[in-house]
Amino acid sequence: MISLPITDHRHFNFAECLLFLNRSTRECLHTVRDGAVYKLLAPEGSPVLVRIREDAGKPALAADVLYGDITPEGEDYIRSFVNKWLHLDGDMTPFYTFSSKDALLGPLTRDYKGLRLIGIPDLFEAITWTITGQQINLAFAYTLKQRLVQAFGYVMEEDGHSYHLYPHPAVIASIRPEELTAMQFSKTKAEGIIRIAKLMSTGELSEEKIKALSFEAARDTLVAIKGIGPWSANYVLMKFAQHPQALPLEDAGLHNALKARLNMPAKPTLAEVKRLTQHWQQHAAYATFYCWRSLYHG
């Protein structure tokens, strides 16, 4: 058992995190079952199946290795991955203090207290997921991701369940766009995904490089890549790099949440979204995430 300490444990609710993780029946990269989340990882290049659950009576989660061999370095990888995935080291007090004085955010933090910003610790997955989701609804985006993972990722069958790893950039870099358009990816998306795969497989774009940059520099670096616009860049910096000021202003889900929570007659314009969110600043990522949560009624 690997212990996963939780910072600010009084503002952590594992059940809320599991609800968000379980919001799509098409999700193929993790499974929520019996109060735990199961995820296949490859800490040292070999598949390791992990079950993440609450560690009763402790300010920590527990990760049980159900399949695979693990070294101390592999344990460190799992700790780091889950910490970034569930933002276990986040101090929620500043955000909750800020939200308590905000008419929009206050009710959300009361309704979903303890929800952490669920991240995407793998940069390739984070970027290609945003490309996949451009200009389509969330359900179809999940369908496309499922097709991509099942065709080019790794699958393991264990105890009657299937567990998947996201495709490695080098694998996607070697395919032709037609192999993705056959799955109903648009030509632009297929080319964009392969472009990112090639940049990452050569090292021109890497997790280390993005992490070493300031928010502004990282955003500019991503936007300079064909196929990545401001929305995608902010989404990636929110979900992968955990920059608190990342704000995907163009996000349709954010627009829908603002319309619903503020009883607006129509979806807000981009100018209205800017006005409504300009005071979020260092709380923008969490504010956006809680707005997204309000759209899911599970």
Side-chain angles (χ1 to χ4, degrees), residues 88-126:
L88 298 183
D89 62 355
D91 180 1
M92 302 295 291
T93 301
F95 173 60
Y96 283 152
T97 300
F98 171 80
S99 298
S100 67
K101 304 164 189 170
D102 189 279
L104 168 66
L105 299 176
L108 298 181
T109 53
R110 289 191 292 273
D111 289 346
Y112 313 124
K113 183 178 178 181
L115 174 66
R116 295 295 171 95
L117 201 165
I118 309 300
I120 303 176
D122 177 82
L123 180 61
F124 181 59
E125 179 190 340

Short mmCIF file of all heavy atoms in Angstrom, two decimals, residues 88-126:
data_model
loop_
_atom_site.label_atom_id
_atom_site.label_comp_id
_atom_site.label_asym_id
_atom_site.label_seq_id
_atom_site.Cartn_x
_atom_site.Cartn_y
_atom_site.Cartn_z
N LEU A 88 -3.87 16.68 -4.70
CA LEU A 88 -3.88 16.35 -3.27
C LEU A 88 -3.10 17.37 -2.44
O LEU A 88 -3.37 17.50 -1.24
CB LEU A 88 -3.28 14.96 -3.05
CG LEU A 88 -4.02 13.79 -3.72
CD1 LEU A 88 -3.36 12.47 -3.35
CD2 LEU A 88 -5.49 13.78 -3.33
N ASP A 89 -2.16 18.09 -3.05
CA ASP A 89 -1.37 19.05 -2.27
C ASP A 89 -1.95 20.47 -2.34
O ASP A 89 -1.31 21.43 -1.93
CB ASP A 89 0.09 19.06 -2.74
CG ASP A 89 0.25 19.50 -4.18
OD1 ASP A 89 -0.76 19.70 -4.87
OD2 ASP A 89 1.42 19.62 -4.63
N GLY A 90 -3.17 20.58 -2.86
CA GLY A 90 -3.79 21.89 -2.96
C GLY A 90 -4.28 22.42 -1.62
O GLY A 90 -4.86 21.69 -0.83
N ASP A 91 -4.03 23.70 -1.37
CA ASP A 91 -4.59 24.38 -0.21
C ASP A 91 -5.83 25.12 -0.68
O ASP A 91 -5.74 26.12 -1.42
CB ASP A 91 -3.57 25.36 0.37
CG ASP A 91 -4.10 26.11 1.60
OD1 ASP A 91 -5.26 25.85 2.00
OD2 ASP A 91 -3.38 26.96 2.14
N MET A 92 -7.00 24.66 -0.27
CA MET A 92 -8.25 25.19 -0.78
C MET A 92 -8.73 26.44 -0.04
O MET A 92 -9.65 27.11 -0.50
CB MET A 92 -9.33 24.10 -0.68
CG MET A 92 -9.01 22.83 -1.43
SD MET A 92 -8.92 23.09 -3.21
CE MET A 92 -10.65 23.42 -3.57
N THR A 93 -8.13 26.76 1.09
CA THR A 93 -8.62 27.86 1.92
C THR A 93 -8.71 29.18 1.16
O THR A 93 -9.74 29.86 1.24
CB THR A 93 -7.76 28.01 3.18
OG1 THR A 93 -7.80 26.78 3.91
CG2 THR A 93 -8.28 29.13 4.06
N PRO A 94 -7.67 29.60 0.42
CA PRO A 94 -7.78 30.88 -0.30
C PRO A 94 -8.95 30.91 -1.29
O PRO A 94 -9.66 31.92 -1.37
CB PRO A 94 -6.43 31.00 -1.02
CG PRO A 94 -5.50 30.18 -0.20
CD PRO A 94 -6.31 29.02 0.29
N PHE A 95 -9.16 29.81 -2.02
CA PHE A 95 -10.27 29.78 -2.98
C PHE A 95 -11.61 29.83 -2.27
O PHE A 95 -12.53 30.55 -2.69
CB PHE A 95 -10.17 28.53 -3.85
CG PHE A 95 -11.36 28.32 -4.77
CD1 PHE A 95 -11.69 29.27 -5.72
CD2 PHE A 95 -12.15 27.18 -4.66
CE1 PHE A 95 -12.80 29.09 -6.56
CE2 PHE A 95 -13.25 27.00 -5.50
CZ PHE A 95 -13.57 27.95 -6.44
N TYR A 96 -11.75 29.07 -1.19
CA TYR A 96 -13.02 29.08 -0.47
C TYR A 96 -13.28 30.42 0.21
O TYR A 96 -14.43 30.87 0.28
CB TYR A 96 -13.05 27.93 0.54
CG TYR A 96 -13.33 26.57 -0.10
CD1 TYR A 96 -12.84 25.40 0.47
CD2 TYR A 96 -14.05 26.46 -1.27
CE1 TYR A 96 -13.09 24.16 -0.11
CE2 TYR A 96 -14.29 25.23 -1.86
CZ TYR A 96 -13.81 24.09 -1.28
OH TYR A 96 -14.05 22.87 -1.86
N THR A 97 -12.25 31.07 0.69
CA THR A 97 -12.42 32.40 1.29
C THR A 97 -12.87 33.39 0.22
O THR A 97 -13.80 34.18 0.44
CB THR A 97 -11.10 32.87 1.92
OG1 THR A 97 -10.72 31.94 2.93
CG2 THR A 97 -11.24 34.25 2.53
N PHE A 98 -12.22 33.34 -0.93
CA PHE A 98 -12.60 34.21 -2.05
C PHE A 98 -14.04 33.93 -2.49
O PHE A 98 -14.83 34.86 -2.69
CB PHE A 98 -11.63 33.97 -3.21
CG PHE A 98 -12.02 34.63 -4.50
CD1 PHE A 98 -11.76 35.98 -4.71
CD2 PHE A 98 -12.62 33.90 -5.53
CE1 PHE A 98 -12.11 36.59 -5.92
CE2 PHE A 98 -12.97 34.50 -6.72
CZ PHE A 98 -12.72 35.85 -6.92
N SER A 99 -14.40 32.68 -2.61
CA SER A 99 -15.72 32.31 -3.11
C SER A 99 -16.83 32.65 -2.14
O SER A 99 -17.97 32.91 -2.56
CB SER A 99 -15.74 30.80 -3.42
OG SER A 99 -14.81 30.49 -4.42
N SER A 100 -16.53 32.66 -0.85
CA SER A 100 -17.57 32.92 0.15
C SER A 100 -18.18 34.32 -0.01
O SER A 100 -19.29 34.57 0.45
CB SER A 100 -16.99 32.77 1.56
OG SER A 100 -16.03 33.78 1.82
N LYS A 101 -17.45 35.21 -0.68
CA LYS A 101 -17.94 36.58 -0.88
C LYS A 101 -18.47 36.79 -2.29
O LYS A 101 -18.73 37.93 -2.68
CB LYS A 101 -16.80 37.57 -0.60
CG LYS A 101 -16.17 37.41 0.78
CD LYS A 101 -14.83 38.11 0.83
CE LYS A 101 -14.12 37.75 2.14
NZ LYS A 101 -12.72 38.20 2.16
N ASP A 102 -18.60 35.71 -3.05
CA ASP A 102 -19.00 35.80 -4.45
C ASP A 102 -20.35 35.14 -4.65
O ASP A 102 -20.53 33.96 -4.29
CB ASP A 102 -17.94 35.13 -5.33
CG ASP A 102 -18.17 35.36 -6.80
OD1 ASP A 102 -19.00 34.64 -7.40
OD2 ASP A 102 -17.52 36.26 -7.36
N ALA A 103 -21.29 35.86 -5.24
CA ALA A 103 -22.66 35.35 -5.39
C ALA A 103 -22.74 34.13 -6.29
O ALA A 103 -23.59 33.25 -6.09
CB ALA A 103 -23.56 36.45 -5.93
N LEU A 104 -21.86 34.05 -7.29
CA LEU A 104 -21.86 32.89 -8.19
C LEU A 104 -21.15 31.71 -7.58
O LEU A 104 -21.66 30.59 -7.55
CB LEU A 104 -21.20 33.28 -9.52
CG LEU A 104 -20.86 32.12 -10.47
CD1 LEU A 104 -22.13 31.44 -10.98
CD2 LEU A 104 -19.99 32.60 -11.62
N LEU A 105 -19.94 31.94 -7.07
CA LEU A 105 -19.09 30.84 -6.62
C LEU A 105 -19.45 30.32 -5.24
O LEU A 105 -19.24 29.14 -4.94
CB LEU A 105 -17.62 31.27 -6.66
CG LEU A 105 -17.07 31.68 -8.02
CD1 LEU A 105 -15.64 32.18 -7.89
CD2 LEU A 105 -17.15 30.54 -9.01
N GLY A 106 -19.97 31.18 -4.39
CA GLY A 106 -20.29 30.76 -3.03
C GLY A 106 -21.18 29.53 -2.95
O GLY A 106 -20.83 28.55 -2.28
N PRO A 107 -22.32 29.52 -3.66
CA PRO A 107 -23.19 28.33 -3.63
C PRO A 107 -22.49 27.09 -4.20
O PRO A 107 -22.73 25.97 -3.74
CB PRO A 107 -24.38 28.74 -4.50
CG PRO A 107 -24.41 30.23 -4.42
CD PRO A 107 -22.97 30.65 -4.35
N LEU A 108 -21.62 27.27 -5.20
CA LEU A 108 -20.93 26.13 -5.79
C LEU A 108 -19.97 25.48 -4.80
O LEU A 108 -19.89 24.25 -4.70
CB LEU A 108 -20.16 26.56 -7.05
CG LEU A 108 -20.98 27.12 -8.21
CD1 LEU A 108 -20.08 27.48 -9.38
CD2 LEU A 108 -22.05 26.14 -8.66
N THR A 109 -19.23 26.29 -4.06
CA THR A 109 -18.28 25.72 -3.11
C THR A 109 -19.01 25.08 -1.93
O THR A 109 -18.46 24.17 -1.30
CB THR A 109 -17.29 26.78 -2.60
OG1 THR A 109 -18.00 27.91 -2.10
CG2 THR A 109 -16.36 27.22 -3.72
N ARG A 110 -20.20 25.53 -1.64
CA ARG A 110 -20.99 24.85 -0.59
C ARG A 110 -21.55 23.53 -1.11
O ARG A 110 -21.53 22.51 -0.42
CB ARG A 110 -22.12 25.76 -0.10
CG ARG A 110 -21.65 26.95 0.73
CD ARG A 110 -22.80 27.66 1.42
NE ARG A 110 -23.68 28.34 0.47
CZ ARG A 110 -23.49 29.59 0.04
NH1 ARG A 110 -22.42 30.28 0.43
NH2 ARG A 110 -24.35 30.15 -0.80
N ASP A 111 -22.04 23.54 -2.34
CA ASP A 111 -22.65 22.33 -2.91
C ASP A 111 -21.62 21.23 -3.18
O ASP A 111 -21.93 20.04 -3.05
CB ASP A 111 -23.36 22.66 -4.23
CG ASP A 111 -24.63 23.48 -4.03
OD1 ASP A 111 -25.10 23.56 -2.87
OD2 ASP A 111 -25.12 24.05 -5.02
N TYR A 112 -20.41 21.64 -3.59
CA TYR A 112 -19.40 20.66 -4.02
C TYR A 112 -18.15 20.74 -3.15
O TYR A 112 -17.04 20.47 -3.62
CB TYR A 112 -19.05 20.89 -5.49
CG TYR A 112 -20.26 21.06 -6.37
CD1 TYR A 112 -20.43 22.19 -7.16
CD2 TYR A 112 -21.28 20.10 -6.38
CE1 TYR A 112 -21.56 22.36 -7.95
CE2 TYR A 112 -22.41 20.25 -7.16
CZ TYR A 112 -22.55 21.40 -7.95
OH TYR A 112 -23.67 21.55 -8.72
N LYS A 113 -18.34 21.06 -1.89
CA LYS A 113 -17.20 21.25 -0.99
C LYS A 113 -16.30 20.00 -0.98
O LYS A 113 -16.77 18.88 -0.85
CB LYS A 113 -17.69 21.52 0.44
CG LYS A 113 -16.55 21.80 1.41
CD LYS A 113 -17.07 22.10 2.81
CE LYS A 113 -15.90 22.32 3.76
NZ LYS A 113 -16.37 22.59 5.15
N GLY A 114 -15.02 20.26 -1.12
CA GLY A 114 -14.05 19.17 -1.10
C GLY A 114 -13.66 18.65 -2.46
O GLY A 114 -12.75 17.81 -2.57
N LEU A 115 -14.33 19.12 -3.52
CA LEU A 115 -13.95 18.71 -4.87
C LEU A 115 -12.62 19.35 -5.23
O LEU A 115 -12.43 20.55 -5.07
CB LEU A 115 -15.02 19.15 -5.87
CG LEU A 115 -14.71 18.93 -7.35
CD1 LEU A 115 -14.62 17.45 -7.68
CD2 LEU A 115 -15.76 19.60 -8.23
N ARG A 116 -11.68 18.55 -5.70
CA ARG A 116 -10.41 19.06 -6.18
C ARG A 116 -10.43 19.14 -7.70
O ARG A 116 -11.19 18.43 -8.38
CB ARG A 116 -9.25 18.17 -5.71
CG ARG A 116 -9.05 18.15 -4.20
CD ARG A 116 -8.62 19.52 -3.65
NE ARG A 116 -8.63 19.56 -2.21
CZ ARG A 116 -7.55 19.34 -1.45
NH1 ARG A 116 -6.39 19.04 -2.00
NH2 ARG A 116 -7.64 19.42 -0.13
N LEU A 117 -9.58 19.99 -8.24
CA LEU A 117 -9.48 20.14 -9.69
C LEU A 117 -8.84 18.87 -10.26
O LEU A 117 -7.65 18.62 -10.05
CB LEU A 117 -8.65 21.38 -10.03
CG LEU A 117 -8.84 21.97 -11.43
CD1 LEU A 117 -8.26 23.39 -11.49
CD2 LEU A 117 -8.22 21.12 -12.52
N ILE A 118 -9.65 18.08 -10.95
CA ILE A 118 -9.16 16.82 -11.52
C ILE A 118 -8.30 17.15 -12.74
O ILE A 118 -8.77 17.73 -13.71
CB ILE A 118 -10.33 15.91 -11.93
CG1 ILE A 118 -11.33 15.74 -10.77
CG2 ILE A 118 -9.80 14.56 -12.41
CD1 ILE A 118 -10.76 15.14 -9.53
N GLY A 119 -7.03 16.78 -12.66
CA GLY A 119 -6.09 17.15 -13.70
C GLY A 119 -5.86 16.06 -14.73
O GLY A 119 -6.47 14.97 -14.70
N ILE A 120 -4.96 16.36 -15.67
CA ILE A 120 -4.48 15.39 -16.66
C ILE A 120 -2.97 15.45 -16.59
O ILE A 120 -2.34 16.30 -17.24
CB ILE A 120 -4.99 15.72 -18.08
CG1 ILE A 120 -6.52 15.80 -18.12
CG2 ILE A 120 -4.50 14.67 -19.09
CD1 ILE A 120 -7.09 16.22 -19.47
N PRO A 121 -2.34 14.59 -15.80
CA PRO A 121 -0.90 14.70 -15.56
C PRO A 121 -0.01 14.42 -16.77
O PRO A 121 1.19 14.70 -16.72
CB PRO A 121 -0.65 13.66 -14.46
CG PRO A 121 -1.97 13.46 -13.80
CD PRO A 121 -2.96 13.58 -14.91
N ASP A 122 -0.56 13.87 -17.84
CA ASP A 122 0.21 13.55 -19.04
C ASP A 122 -0.01 14.64 -20.09
O ASP A 122 -1.14 14.88 -20.52
CB ASP A 122 -0.23 12.20 -19.59
CG ASP A 122 0.48 11.83 -20.87
OD1 ASP A 122 1.61 11.33 -20.80
OD2 ASP A 122 -0.10 12.06 -21.95
N LEU A 123 1.06 15.33 -20.49
CA LEU A 123 0.93 16.46 -21.40
C LEU A 123 0.38 16.05 -22.76
O LEU A 123 -0.47 16.74 -23.33
CB LEU A 123 2.29 17.15 -21.58
CG LEU A 123 2.32 18.36 -22.53
CD1 LEU A 123 1.39 19.46 -22.04
CD2 LEU A 123 3.75 18.88 -22.70
N PHE A 124 0.83 14.92 -23.29
CA PHE A 124 0.34 14.48 -24.60
C PHE A 124 -1.16 14.23 -24.55
O PHE A 124 -1.91 14.65 -25.44
CB PHE A 124 1.09 13.23 -25.04
CG PHE A 124 0.67 12.72 -26.40
CD1 PHE A 124 0.79 13.52 -27.52
CD2 PHE A 124 0.16 11.44 -26.55
CE1 PHE A 124 0.39 13.06 -28.78
CE2 PHE A 124 -0.23 10.97 -27.79
CZ PHE A 124 -0.12 11.78 -28.91
N GLU A 125 -1.61 13.57 -23.51
CA GLU A 125 -3.05 13.33 -23.36
C GLU A 125 -3.80 14.65 -23.22
O GLU A 125 -4.86 14.85 -23.83
CB GLU A 125 -3.32 12.44 -22.14
CG GLU A 125 -4.80 12.17 -21.93
CD GLU A 125 -5.10 11.49 -20.60
OE1 GLU A 125 -4.17 10.88 -20.00
OE2 GLU A 125 -6.26 11.56 -20.15
N ALA A 126 -3.27 15.57 -22.41
CA ALA A 126 -3.96 16.84 -22.17
C ALA A 126 -4.14 17.63 -23.46
O ALA A 126 -5.23 18.13 -23.76
CB ALA A 126 -3.19 17.66 -21.14
#
